[in-house]
C-alpha cells in the first residue's frame, strides 16, 4: 500500500473497473475510490487510488507513517 494505490491479493477474477476500497486501521476505517490498472490471474490486482480528498490523503499518509515506524522499531 502507498499513497497512490495498493495491490489486493485475491484469487477471484478481476475486471477493469472503478470501485471503492475500504481500509481498516485498528478501529478506524476509510473508503478510497480506485481503478484497477494491473491484474495477475490467480494472484490479485493493482488498484490506483483516484479522486482522493485532501483530508483522506493526509489521514492515509499518517497511517502509513505509523506502519513504517512500527516496521523499523
Amino acid at each position: 500500500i502507498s499513497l497512490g494505490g495498493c495491490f489486493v491479493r485475491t484469487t477471484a477474477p478481476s475486471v477493469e473497473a472503478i470501485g471503492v476500497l475500504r481500509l481498516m486501521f485498528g478501529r478506524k476505517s476509510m473508503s478510497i475510490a480506485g481503478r484497477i490498472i494491473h491484474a495477475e490471474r490467480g494472484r490479485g490486482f493493482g488498484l490506483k487510488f483516484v479522486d482522493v480528498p485532501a483530508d483522506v490523503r493526509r489521514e492515509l499518509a499518517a497511517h502509513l507513517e505509523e506502519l513504517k515506524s512500527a516496521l523499523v522499531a
Side-chain angles (χ1 to χ4, degrees):
I1 187 166
S2 72
L3 285 176
C6 65
F7 187 81
V8 178
R9 289 182 190 223
T10 180
T11 56
S14 59
V15 295
E16 235 178 272
I18 293 178
V20 176
L21 181 69
R22 184 172 177 188
L23 301 173
M24 301 292 295
F25 293 98
R27 292 185 178 177
K28 289 187 173 184
S29 70
M30 65 176 66
S31 296
I32 301 178
R35 180 171 38 89
I36 295 174
I37 58 168
H38 175 77
E40 295 181 24
R41 185 181 302 263
R43 293 195 63 215
F45 56 87
L47 191 72
K48 179 180 179 179
F49 299 146
V50 295
D51 302 324
V52 181
D55 60 325
V56 174
R57 187 173 179 82
R58 281 191 299 272
E59 188 176 349
L60 177 59
H63 287 302
L64 292 176
E65 193 59 40
E66 285 178 26
L67 291 173
K68 184 177 167 183
S69 296
L71 289 175
V72 174

